[in-house]
Amino acid sequence: MTITVLGISGSPRRHGNTETLLDSFLEGAKDAGASVEKVVLKDLNYTPCRGCNACHKTGDCIVKDDAPVLYEKMFASDIVAVASPIYSMGITAQLKGFIDRAQYLWARKFILRTLDFPEDYIRKHKGVFISTAGQGLSHVFDSAFPAVTALFHDIGFDYVLNIVANNMDKYNGIKNHPTALKEAYEKGQQIVRELENSTKNA
Amino acid sequence: MPVKVLAFAGSPRRFGNSETLLDWTLAAMAQEPDVVIEKVPLTEANINPCRGCNACEKLNKCVQRDGMDILHDKIIQADCIVLSSPIFCMGLCSQVKALVDRAQVFRSRKYVLKLPVVPPERKGKRLGVFLATAGQDWPHVFDAAVPSVKCFYHVIDIKDADIRYLMINKVDEKGAIEHHPTAKSDAEKLGRDVILELKKRLGEGQAS
């Protein structure tokens, strides 16, 4: 079985530092034999969560747009890499808007108890977070992680890897970073090979 | 001069827990003499997310024409800026994050163009208030929201020490905060204290 990798770019800016880093990761995954697809959030049509809690009763979101479709696509993937630049010490409002829409999955898991991911399922689904920040602060990504953790919990993925590069302002862009793109490429290869080996052995 | 308060009700759900917390705070502020309060529900504010185009670094203004056109000026004019948000997925709801990200124009003004955000004589005479509610009972449920809130206030010239926080966890369903033992009294005390502190600071400015 070919491993499927879905990359989700959460930047409002096309082909910027974060998307370039995601591209490098996906390139590595592809070269390791995976089937790779990239979705750009800014090209989708979705609105943020309204907090209406209707999903707490029905398990479905009342808003019919591209968000639930993308969640279905995530469920059909073995590896999901979510990418966002850091804006104001967090993920972009665009990615946060998409993540907040996972509330219907949370409701299925914790209120309606109609969704459950067995340990074995989670082990076979890997989540990756990819990010860049202009700031050089070492803790600049810390506040992004909890929302990403919440996302991968909601979809039953094992959140195993962060590929992050700070100090973009100093380097004047990811292309001038000494190691980030190469590392992302290698990690893309590595995660596909590891998942392939673990499922073979299972 | 009255104390000007600009308050954002950030939740997509109107009249829920975070907005109730805000209303309690604002009601206490309104009890004080000479206070003008404007409350802006973000559901009606028409604020698009930042596009990351960085044009504000050159233009000193945002290229987007939306609700921020008016709010930009109000943010500068206010003595107190109150921000309320529910916690969604361990962070600010995306509607509030959009407002925070749109403050990029202030960051560009301050750090790239090296221009003042507020006139020097108003520095240190503005306060920020962050109000939040969360359904989860974890004490760390607010941790990831706070750095973004600090960013927002920082770029509009309200330093960390001038931000007041009231964050109430374990209130999930609509109206749950009504049953919280201390939220209402804490919000009222916060509202009063903030106005008294501002009057003190603004008064000092007039005396000199």
Side-chain angles (χ1 to χ4, degrees):
Chain A
M1 278 284 285
T2 308
I3 302 262
T4 53
V5 182
L6 176 65
I8 298 174
S9 176
S11 176
R13 192 161 68 175
R14 286 308 311 274
H15 311 298
N17 294 324
T18 305
E19 192 178 342
T20 304
L21 194 59
L22 172 66
D23 287 343
S24 218
F25 171 84
L26 293 175
E27 191 67 28
K30 192 175 153 201
D31 289 351
S35 155
V36 167
E37 185 182 349
K38 180 170 80 176
V39 171
V40 177
L41 280 186
K42 83 175 280 277
D43 293 341
L44 300 188
N45 176 31
Y46 65 98
T47 53
C49 173
R50 296 180 192 169
C52 71
N53 289 359
C55 61
H56 290 196
K57 294 201 174 76
T58 64
D60 287 310
C61 185
I62 57 163
V63 183
K64 303 297 173 207
D65 60 12
D66 290 344
V69 180
L70 182 53
Y71 278 109
E72 285 309 310
K73 200 186 263 286
M74 291 164 89
F75 281 123
S77 308
D78 300 305
I79 297 168
V80 170
V82 177
S84 171
I86 298 298
Y87 284 3
S88 304
M89 299 299 282
I91 57 175
T92 60
Q94 289 87 347
L95 179 58
K96 190 63 178 30
F98 176 68
I99 290 178
D100 290 353
R101 287 290 298 280
Q103 185 70 6
Y104 75 101
L105 298 170
W106 181 89
R108 287 181 192 180
K109 273 178 77 171
F110 294 106
I111 296 178
L112 303 168
R113 312 268 171 194
T114 54
L115 183 65
D116 179 47
F117 302 105
E119 280 295 310
D120 188 48
Y121 177 94
I122 296 169
R123 225 182 2 257
K124 288 176 191 157
H125 294 85
K126 302 296 184 190
V128 180
F129 177 56
I130 294 177
S131 187
T132 65
Q135 294 262 17
L137 307 166
S138 59
H139 63 274
V140 71
F141 301 104
D142 289 4
S143 298
F145 300 142
V148 176
T149 304
L151 169 70
F152 285 128
H153 270 173
D154 286 341
I155 62 168
F157 274 56
D158 183 15
Y159 176 23
V160 287
L161 180 64
N162 292 311
I163 301 174
V164 297
N166 62 1
N167 237 340
M168 285 302 116
D169 292 345
K170 190 190 114 192
Y171 288 116
N172 197 20
I174 192 91
K175 295 211 159 89
N176 303 312
H177 192 285
T179 55
L181 291 175
K182 186 163 173 283
E183 266 178 33
Y185 177 86
E186 287 167 359
K187 283 175 175 168
Q189 283 192 317
Q190 193 187 346
I191 195 167
V192 169
R193 286 181 183 142
E194 279 175 9
L195 187 59
E196 216 160 36
N197 288 336
S198 71
T199 41
K200 257 183 224 157
N201 299 336
Chain B
M1 284 283 282
V3 175
K4 287 196 282 291
V5 178
L6 177 65
F8 293 104
S11 176
R13 186 164 72 175
R14 287 304 311 274
F15 316 113
N17 293 316
S18 65
E19 190 172 343
T20 300
L21 193 62
L22 174 66
D23 287 344
W24 286 334
T25 309
L26 297 181
M29 288 177 163
Q31 295 282 310
E32 301 297 319
D34 260 349
V35 178
V36 177
I37 297 169
E38 182 174 7
K39 176 174 148 183
V40 178
L42 288 188
T43 49
E44 293 163 20
N46 185 31
I47 299 174
N48 294 308
C50 171
R51 294 182 191 163
C53 71
N54 289 351
C56 59
E57 294 186 357
K58 294 200 175 75
L59 302 176
N60 192 20
K61 71 184 274 194
C62 183
V63 294
Q64 300 196 65
R65 299 278 68 81
D66 62 9
M68 270 309 273
D69 289 336
I70 300 167
L71 290 172
H72 168 278
D73 295 349
K74 291 187 176 184
I75 285 170
I76 293 173
Q77 287 153 9
D79 302 303
C80 177
I81 293 149
V82 188
L83 187 59
S84 69
S85 177
I87 298 298
F88 284 2
C89 297
M90 298 301 286
L92 298 172
C93 67
S94 65
Q95 292 84 353
V96 170
K97 188 61 171 44
L99 170 67
V100 169
D101 289 356
R102 286 294 293 285
Q104 181 73 1
V105 66
F106 298 112
R107 182 216 162 248
S108 294
R109 188 168 304 158
K110 192 169 173 174
Y111 290 108
V112 181
L113 301 168
K114 317 270 185 202
L115 295 167
V117 173
V118 296
E121 65 272 16
R122 293 189 59 216
K123 278 198 176 184
K125 296 193 167 61
R126 277 150 61 89
L127 292 181
V129 177
F130 178 59
L131 306 171
T133 57
Q136 293 274 11
D137 59 357
W138 304 326
H140 64 276
V141 70
F142 302 104
D143 288 4
V146 168
S148 294
V149 170
K150 284 184 177 171
C151 270
F152 174 69
Y153 285 119
H154 185 84
V155 297
I156 58 173
D157 274 346
I158 294 173
K159 57 181 197 259
D160 283 2
D162 289 340
I163 310 170
R164 307 288 180 263
Y165 298 89
L166 181 57
M167 302 182 286
I168 308 288
N169 61 0
K170 217 177 171 181
V171 285
D172 205 358
E173 291 308 314
K174 200 165 186 168
I177 199 161
E178 306 274 357
H179 309 291
H180 191 279
T182 57
K184 186 164 192 256
S185 55
D186 287 351
E188 288 167 346
K189 180 172 188 312
L190 177 67
R192 276 193 305 272
D193 288 352
V194 163
I195 296 301
L196 293 177
E197 175 67 23
L198 274 170
K199 291 208 161 170
K200 202 171 108 194
R201 293 193 190 189
L202 291 164
E204 275 167 11
Q206 281 159 13
S208 62

